[in-house]
Amino acid sequence: MPKRILAIETSCDETAISVIEEREQSFRVLSNIVSSQAKLHAAFGGVVPNLASREHQKNLVPILIGALKEAKLYRIKKEKLSNTSIHQCIEVLEREPELAQRFQKIFQIQKPALDAIAITVGPGLEPALWVGINFAKALSLLWNKPLIPVNHMEGHIFSALIAQKKEQRISKRSTLNALRYPALALLVSGGHTELVLMKKPGRYRVIGETLDDAAGEAFDKVAQMLKLGYPGGPAIAKLAERGSGTAISFPRPMINAANFNFSFSGLKTAVLYYLRDHGERHATRDMRQVKFKADIAASFQEAVVDVLIVKTLRALKTYQAQTLIVGGGVAANKRLRTRLRDALPKNINLFLPNPTLTGDNALMIAGAAFFNKQKSARAIRADGNMTLH
Ligand code: KG4
Ligand code: ZN
């Protein structure tokens, strides 16, 4: 019998739902829907937690219906639900009035042929996480399905191990066998920059992390200084193609420190000072200004990539790792991907996520649930600062 997992992700500004079907130690993707709120948050230059949680409340029901339809698991219900089950679900959603109202639509659909519901419980923005968690709890109650709590960062790790093609089967054995241990994961997103050591499957140790801004956050803030909009990573990367990475020598914070931690706030400040000291002369909208900004973007990107690569290579050597996995939004960065491929010793297996799976999505959450089912004995609650262990 195939087993189906529905996964829900709401830790930041993407509302995402995916359904996968497990069969004989492999799975295929039945649906994978991501709705980004980036445009909405752009006006504020970053993600506003309460706005994100309101958007998740609006989006979850239509996305669930879309994901069930795509997975061919959507049917309209014939018989009526008891008032008690309706009440129980609504009670779970008492802090999400907008979602509770939209949940009425779910009462009209037949219990889908699912076996479990995977849900991101952290790290992330707690108000946003709670919306997904309470939604998953209400579905679990209504459909009588177990919940599988998933760590968002573990999802990013697995995003590099799964393909996104719908018909392709992802085999547990061949995927996990391809991972030679110890494995190291470089996780670079808007909220996190971490080096995670995996001595064996499912066992994690964070050996380094950022002491201030995350790599993606630095991209976003520098993009804001250059008036490139939000999210900044893709805009900086694009502009950088027209500039020179060696034009300005920005600092490489902590590159020589005897640990695996990162710090990007000094680099961000260096860009700010550079703009203050040199910006005025180029305050016109001519080609010189484009080149001026492009050089800043390229030189800033080069500094970030340098630090990430030097620290990663050193960690690989120190722990004699055999595999490198890269995950998180910044893993989409082409310069980082190219330079990593070039710099990596030949004996190390590199796993880079497909660019469609670098950003937040629910397929990676389903993947993490498939590869490493966690027990849901404890109460399921949001943990904004959850760490991998
Ligand atoms: O993993 P993600 O989608 O969300 C979090 O969990 O934070 O990462 C989003 C981050 C943003 O900061 C965005 O600017 C950055 O990833 N990003 C990039 C690129 N694409 C997205 N940074 C650098 N280069 C890119 N091409
Ligand atoms: Zn993420």
Side-chain angles (χ1 to χ4, degrees):
M1 273 292 281
K3 266 206 204 143
R4 297 190 192 93
I5 303 176
L6 175 111
I8 302 168
E9 154 66 42
T10 65
S11 69
C12 193
D13 61 344
E14 263 87 30
T15 320
I17 297 188
S18 173
V19 182
I20 63 167
E21 184 178 83
E22 268 187 75
R23 193 182 298 212
E24 290 154 10
Q25 298 287 299
S26 69
F27 75 81
R28 66 190 181 108
V29 183
L30 298 187
S31 59
N32 180 29
I33 300 185
V34 182
S35 163
S36 173
Q37 310 169 3
K39 279 204 184 109
L40 195 76
H41 297 280
F44 304 92
V47 183
V48 184
N50 286 335
L51 197 58
S53 98
R54 219 166 58 212
E55 280 302 298
H56 290 313
Q57 292 191 52
K58 273 196 214 154
N59 296 339
L60 276 167
V61 170
I63 291 177
L64 174 70
I65 291 174
L68 290 177
K69 280 186 177 165
E70 207 177 304
K72 303 204 166 37
L73 296 172
Y74 178 84
R75 315 240 183 302
I76 291 289
K77 199 176 180 65
K78 304 242 164 51
E79 65 283 12
K80 277 201 126 208
L81 270 175
S82 75
N83 277 342
T84 338
S85 23
I86 292 180
H87 259 109
Q88 279 176 334
C89 290
I90 296 301
E91 225 171 83
V92 174
L93 298 172
E94 97 191 315
R95 283 164 188 253
E96 285 84 22
E98 169 120 32
L99 180 57
Q101 203 194 348
R102 287 175 191 255
F103 205 85
Q104 302 295 334
K105 272 204 161 160
I106 309 288
F107 295 133
Q108 295 160 17
I109 63 181
Q110 212 167 301
K111 193 196 258 191
L114 295 168
D115 300 275
I117 299 168
I119 173 69
T120 305
V121 290
L125 305 168
E126 286 195 2
L129 286 163
W130 272 118
V131 179
I133 291 173
N134 287 335
F135 184 59
K137 282 185 175 174
L139 293 176
S140 148
L141 202 69
L142 182 67
W143 294 338
N144 194 23
K145 308 289 176 202
L147 290 174
I148 306 173
V150 175
N151 181 310
H152 180 82
M153 301 315 284
E154 191 176 26
H156 276 305
I157 291 179
F158 282 104
S159 72
L161 305 180
I162 55 188
Q164 89 300 356
K165 287 202 188 104
K166 270 189 101 176
E167 288 315 315
Q168 190 169 336
R169 288 198 164 274
I170 294 113
S171 145
K172 191 178 236 165
R173 192 180 299 155
S174 63
T175 305
L176 293 182
N177 280 355
L179 282 188
R180 287 183 285 127
Y181 294 90
L184 184 75
L186 169 67
L187 302 179
V188 273
S189 70
H192 292 84
T193 301
E194 290 179 351
L195 278 167
V196 182
L197 184 68
M198 298 154 68
K199 284 209 167 148
K200 47 185 178 182
R203 297 300 294 270
Y204 306 103
R205 202 178 114 210
V206 178
I207 58 164
E209 61 194 332
T210 182
L211 304 179
D212 40 58
D213 294 352
E217 194 179 353
F219 269 93
D220 293 336
K221 287 180 177 165
V222 168
Q224 214 178 353
M225 293 175 203
L226 297 176
K227 303 195 170 49
L228 299 176
Y230 172 86
I236 295 239
K238 191 158 175 248
L239 186 60
E241 286 173 14
R242 302 170 68 177
S244 156
T246 53
I248 308 152
S249 76
F250 286 128
R252 271 81 174 142
M254 295 185 76
I255 200 163
N256 293 316
N259 56 46
F260 301 109
N261 290 332
F262 300 91
S263 161
F264 291 107
S265 114
L267 171 58
K268 173 192 70 187
T269 313
V271 176
L272 187 70
Y273 288 165
Y274 187 87
L275 268 171
R276 186 194 60 189
D277 298 342
H278 302 83
E280 285 303 306
R281 280 183 287 137
H282 297 277
T284 50
R285 289 199 148 266
D286 60 13
M287 278 315 290
R288 276 187 319 160
Q289 198 203 12
V290 175
K291 175 78 173 102
F292 171 73
K293 280 189 176 186
D295 280 345
I296 294 178
S299 301
F300 159 77
Q301 175 175 264
E302 215 57 24
V304 175
V305 170
D306 266 351
V307 177
L308 293 176
I309 290 189
V310 166
K311 294 250 159 178
T312 302
L313 291 182
R314 203 182 301 142
L316 286 167
K317 207 166 166 190
T318 304
Y319 293 96
Q320 299 189 328
Q322 313 282 308
T323 302
L324 175 65
I325 299 168
V326 188
V330 184
N333 188 278
K334 283 193 194 138
R335 186 75 185 142
L336 174 65
R337 293 168 85 101
T338 309
R339 287 208 35 212
L340 256 181
R341 280 198 196 99
D342 292 346
L344 212 62
K346 293 278 170 291
N347 61 323
I348 293 181
N349 272 5
L350 175 64
F351 288 84
L352 283 169
N354 185 295
T356 57
L357 292 180
T358 50
D360 290 346
N361 63 84
L363 175 53
M364 71 184 196
I365 303 304
F370 164 77
F371 282 106
N372 187 25
K373 286 198 179 70
Q374 300 186 10
K375 289 171 212 86
S376 56
R378 278 182 299 140
I380 292 184
R381 56 193 321 279
D383 179 355
N385 299 315
M386 192 176 203
T387 51
L388 275 172
H389 53 263

